[in-house]
């Protein structure tokens, strides 16, 4: 065996220092310990369960564990669940249930991901965002990070468009140059280096811009190499006398005359290669008016990252521009970074204490699931101020599922009944269904919740009239075209989600209005679809 090399006895091994040891040495950590997400969102619903331990036939001791747990729950039963009943207020304007208590908002979100903040995209974190913006709370909020990423992507796209336009202009300039082949073009060529220099200087004096004024430098071409050799060659200038260029007289002897550009006086330079190069590199100075009345954009111009965001002829302050660009004083350019430390500190010192003004919005399906299935919510009627019973809430949601709301008898193919049957079905299977209107579907299915991963499946609910009663009545399901199916499937495949068609078998009409009796007659069938690609499915 090969000998294992051992460390020297006098060399001490490095030891990892734990936080407790660091505190003992006087190095206290200022950053608090972050709570893991699986501990914050440990409960899948706003109720607690007390299951018995598992029994293993090959392990006799597990039987005593089960008996001990059962006896302890019989002798000292746990508190009835749900231990806390949250209060919600029915809003007829938004057709949703509003939860306004801060503790109830956090409990319903952390225990099942119910509802959404009406000032937020999903999680009700408006107060955290305002505190972060004013420098009072955490610096990293999920929605602020999303805004920063969108701004970075916008700047990246703008820079990519600018480079593409520069490449197009470079190609056009290369293709525009044609070698002189005709008699007139050949006669127009200069006869000597002095004539070439005078012709180039006259064009520059008459307002013709050089190649450098048009943008990027072109690669070396024969005409460019000839120009460079001309500039580097010493140009003989008569020592005495005056020479004219386009009718303008030169100044002192030994200088190359250049007429003034845009009313500015140019300094005379000696006829040397450096002076000629520096003189040809001069650019035209353009002065713009502070008040721009109108602007004309070319089709080949790259988009602006800031002005392009002003759509519909409106400015951020609400003024109407009528197709003209605003003045620099009225337009506040938003920087890439959302907030800085200095401005946040100043605003936090001057602003009053923040009050959380956000409430939680519950959809009718979510609210009825919390009331009917879990019993963890009571909905208050705004007119009477009393809690609505389960049958009253059920009739209210069924009536509002139509537009305009109807007061007719309950139908088995009621839209609320069909949607709630699907919602209750997936909730009972452990999924977290959320609204899928963003992707053109009815529901999104999350495995653990929106904070853990993206939705894996999308659900489109379709009623199915398969019962013989509906066939005898000649009732047909709503027709869906293939164009609709392919468009929805294309969107889901582009978003890396699997499309699921859920057919709900509608039972025949009955006279009962009990939700438990009605929901027992519905059957749900699931079919998932994937986009078929010929190059991948050969």
């Amino acid at each position: 065996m090969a000998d294992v090399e051992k460390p020297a006895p006098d060399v001490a091994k490095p030891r990892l220092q734990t936080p407790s040891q660091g505190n003992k040495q006087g190095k206290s950590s200022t950053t608090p310990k972050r709570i893991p997400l699986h501990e914050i969102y440990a409960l899948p619903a706003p109720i607690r369960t007390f299951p018995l331990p598992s029994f293993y036939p090959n392990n006799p001791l597990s039987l005593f564990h089960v008996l001990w747990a059962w006896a302890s729950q019989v002798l000292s039963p746990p508190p009835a669940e749900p231990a806390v009943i949250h209060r919600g207020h029915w809003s007829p304007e938004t057709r949703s249930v509003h939860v306004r208590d801060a503790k109830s908002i956090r409990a319903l979100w952390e225990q099942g991901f119910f509802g959404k903040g009406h000032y937020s995209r999903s999680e009700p974190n408006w107060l955290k965002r305002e505190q972060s913006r004013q420098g009072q709370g955490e610096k990293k909020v999920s929605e602020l990070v999303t805004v920063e990423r969108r701004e970075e992507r916008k700047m990246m796209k703008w820079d990519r468009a600018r480079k593409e336009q520069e490449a197009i202009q470079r190609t056009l300039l290369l293709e525009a140059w044609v070698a002189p082949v005709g008699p007139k073009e050949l006669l127009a060529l200069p006869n000597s280096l002095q004539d070439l220099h005078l012709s180039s200087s006259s064009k520059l004096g008459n307002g013709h811009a050089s190649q450098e004024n048009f943008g990027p430098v072109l690669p070396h071409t024969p005409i460019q190499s000839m120009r460079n050799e001309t500039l580097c060659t010493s140009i003989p200038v008569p020592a005495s006398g005056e020479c004219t260029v386009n009718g303008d007289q030169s100044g002192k002897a030994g200088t190359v005359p250049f007429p003034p550009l845009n009313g500015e006086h140019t300094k005379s330079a000696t006829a040397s290669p450096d002076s000629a190069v520096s003189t040809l590199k001069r650019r035209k100075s353009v002065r713009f008016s502070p008040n721009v009345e109108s602007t004309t954009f070319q089709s080949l111009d790259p988009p602006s990252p800031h002005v392009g965001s002003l759509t519909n002829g409106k400015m951020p302050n609400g003024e109407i521009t009528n197709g003209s660009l605003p003045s620099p004083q009225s337009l506040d350019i938003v920087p890439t970074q959302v907030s800085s430390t200095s401005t946040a500190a100043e605003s936090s010192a001057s602003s009053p204490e923040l009050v959380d003004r956000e409430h939680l919005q519950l959809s009718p399906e979510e609210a009825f699931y919390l009331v009917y299935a879990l019993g963890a919510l009571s909905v208050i009627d705004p007119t009477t101020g009393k809690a609505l019973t389960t049958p009253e809430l059920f009739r209210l949601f069924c009536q509002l599922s139509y537009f305009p709301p109807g007061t007719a008898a309950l139908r088995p193919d009621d839209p609320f009944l069909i949607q709630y049957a699907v919602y209750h079905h997936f909730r009972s299977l452990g999924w977290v269904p959320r609204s899928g209107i963003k992707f053109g579907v009815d529901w999104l299915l999350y495995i653990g919740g929106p904070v853990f991963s993206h939705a894996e499946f999308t659900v489109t609910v379709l009623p199915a009239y398969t019962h013989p009663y509906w066939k005898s009545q000649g009732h047909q399901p709503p027709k869906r075209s293939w164009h609709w199916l392919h468009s929805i499937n294309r969107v889901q495949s582009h978003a890396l989600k699997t499309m699921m068609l859920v057919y709900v078998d509608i039972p025949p009409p009955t006279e009962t209005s009990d939700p438990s009796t009605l929901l027992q007659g519905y059957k749900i069938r699931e079919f998932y679809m994937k986009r078929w690609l010929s190059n991948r499915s050969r």
Side-chain angles (χ1 to χ4, degrees):
M1 293 179 60
D3 296 334
V4 179
E5 185 178 356
K6 297 182 180 180
D10 54 344
V11 178
K13 295 182 180 180
R15 298 177 59 186
L16 296 177
Q17 186 176 2
T18 59
S20 59
Q21 295 176 354
N23 294 335
K24 292 180 181 179
Q25 295 180 1
K27 299 180 180 180
S28 58
S29 60
T30 57
T31 57
K33 186 178 180 181
R34 186 176 181 181
I35 304 177
L37 290 178
H38 68 274
E39 294 183 6
I40 299 177
Y41 305 97
L43 296 178
I47 57 174
R48 293 184 304 168
T49 58
F50 304 92
L52 295 176
S54 302
F55 170 69
Y56 302 97
N58 56 352
N59 186 8
L61 296 179
S62 62
L63 178 61
F64 294 97
H65 190 196
V66 172
L67 294 176
W68 178 82
W70 176 78
S72 61
Q73 293 185 11
V74 170
L75 298 178
S76 59
E81 291 293 331
V84 179
I85 299 178
H86 307 284
R87 291 171 60 90
H89 300 268
W90 167 249
S91 174
E93 294 80 11
T94 60
R95 297 189 179 185
S96 59
V97 178
H98 295 178
V99 180
R100 301 167 185 170
D101 183 60
K103 294 183 178 179
S104 299
I105 290 174
R106 295 310 308 174
L108 291 177
W109 175 258
E110 295 176 358
Q111 300 172 9
F113 303 98
F114 292 94
K116 67 171 293 294
H118 77 292
Y119 285 157
S120 307
R121 297 175 61 246
S122 181
E123 180 182 359
N125 56 4
W126 174 83
L127 183 60
K128 291 183 179 179
R129 293 200 313 271
E130 288 297 315
Q131 291 176 351
S132 176
R133 186 177 64 86
Q134 298 184 8
Q136 300 179 5
E138 299 179 358
K139 294 184 179 180
K140 290 294 182 181
V141 184
S142 59
E143 296 195 1
L144 295 182
V145 173
T146 303
V147 171
E148 292 181 0
R149 290 177 179 175
R150 288 179 178 177
E151 188 68 21
E152 292 176 357
R153 285 197 297 267
K154 184 175 70 173
M155 296 298 297
M156 182 267 297
K157 292 179 180 178
W158 180 85
D159 188 64
R160 182 177 59 188
R162 179 183 58 81
K163 292 181 179 179
E164 291 177 356
Q165 296 298 328
E166 290 180 355
I168 293 174
Q169 293 295 332
R170 194 181 300 113
T171 305
L172 291 178
L173 288 176
L174 287 175
E175 294 176 352
W177 184 82
V178 180
V181 293
K184 294 183 179 180
E185 290 81 0
L186 293 176
L187 292 176
L189 293 176
N191 297 324
S192 62
L193 295 177
Q194 183 177 1
D195 295 342
L196 178 62
H197 175 67
L198 294 179
S199 62
S200 61
S201 61
S202 63
K203 290 182 179 180
L204 182 62
N206 289 333
H208 296 281
S210 62
Q211 181 185 355
E212 296 173 357
N213 295 336
F214 284 97
V217 181
L218 300 178
H220 290 284
T221 56
I223 187 66
Q224 276 192 335
S225 61
M226 184 174 64
R227 289 179 181 176
N228 294 335
E229 293 176 359
T230 305
L231 294 178
C232 296
T233 307
S234 59
I235 303 175
V237 181
S240 62
E242 297 179 354
C243 59
T244 59
V245 179
N246 294 334
D248 296 334
Q249 294 183 354
S250 61
K252 299 179 182 180
T255 59
V256 180
F258 281 92
L261 302 179
N262 296 334
E264 296 180 359
H265 298 282
T266 57
K267 298 180 180 181
S268 60
T270 58
S272 62
D274 298 336
S275 62
V277 174
S278 62
T279 310
L280 287 179
K281 286 186 178 180
R282 291 183 56 86
R283 299 197 180 190
K284 298 174 65 176
S285 60
V286 183
R287 299 176 181 175
F288 295 97
S289 174
N291 300 325
V292 182
E293 300 297 336
S294 62
T295 305
T296 303
F297 297 95
Q298 299 296 333
S299 59
L300 297 179
D301 291 343
S304 176
H306 302 294
V307 183
S309 60
L310 305 177
T311 57
N312 299 327
K314 295 183 180 179
M315 292 175 53
N317 54 7
E319 298 179 0
I320 301 177
T321 60
N322 293 328
S324 61
L325 289 178
S327 59
Q329 291 80 7
S330 61
L331 180 60
D332 297 333
I333 302 300
V334 181
T336 304
Q337 297 181 355
V338 179
S339 61
S340 60
T341 309
S342 59
T343 56
E346 294 176 359
S347 61
S348 61
S350 59
S351 61
E353 184 179 358
L354 289 175
V355 179
D356 193 1
R357 300 179 180 179
E358 188 175 28
H359 61 259
L360 189 71
Q361 282 186 346
L362 297 173
S363 65
E365 292 80 11
E366 292 174 331
F368 191 73
Y369 181 81
L370 291 171
V371 174
Y372 165 72
L374 301 181
L377 179 69
S378 63
V379 181
I380 307 300
D381 189 1
T383 56
T384 61
K386 298 181 180 179
L388 295 172
T389 61
T390 302
E392 293 175 351
L393 194 64
F394 179 70
R395 286 195 300 270
L396 176 64
F397 288 157
C398 289
Q399 293 174 2
L400 293 178
S401 60
Y402 299 95
F403 186 82
T407 58
L410 181 64
R411 298 178 53 183
D413 57 349
D414 187 89
F416 170 75
L417 261 176
I418 297 175
Q419 295 292 337
Y420 178 75
V422 176
Y423 182 87
H424 192 110
H425 169 73
F426 286 109
R427 273 285 182 181
S428 62
L429 294 178
W431 294 91
V432 179
R434 303 277 297 173
S435 176
I437 191 173
K438 179 179 179 181
F439 297 95
V441 294
D442 295 318
W443 301 101
L444 297 176
L445 296 183
Y446 294 88
I447 296 179
V451 300
F452 296 104
S453 61
H454 292 280
E456 185 176 355
F457 296 95
T458 62
V459 175
T460 301
V461 181
L462 298 174
Y465 299 89
T466 56
H467 196 272
Y469 170 80
W470 301 109
K471 294 183 179 179
S472 62
Q473 296 293 328
H475 197 284
Q476 297 294 332
K479 295 183 179 180
R480 303 282 188 174
S481 63
W482 283 103
H483 295 281
W484 168 84
L485 181 62
H486 283 294
S487 61
I488 294 296
N489 193 17
R490 179 66 178 268
V491 172
Q492 312 315 320
S493 60
H494 183 70
L496 302 180
K497 303 183 187 303
T498 303
M499 181 180 177
M500 183 184 300
L501 298 177
V502 177
Y503 290 92
V504 181
D505 294 334
I506 308 299
T510 57
E511 297 181 357
T512 181
S513 60
D514 183 26
S516 302
T517 307
L518 289 173
L519 291 174
Q520 290 178 359
Y522 291 89
K523 296 180 181 180
I524 296 177
R525 294 175 289 128
E526 307 164 359
F527 298 90
Y528 74 92
M529 296 181 56
K530 287 188 177 181
R531 186 183 173 201
W532 184 81
L533 300 176
S534 58
N535 57 348
R536 296 183 182 179
S537 305
R538 292 179 180 177

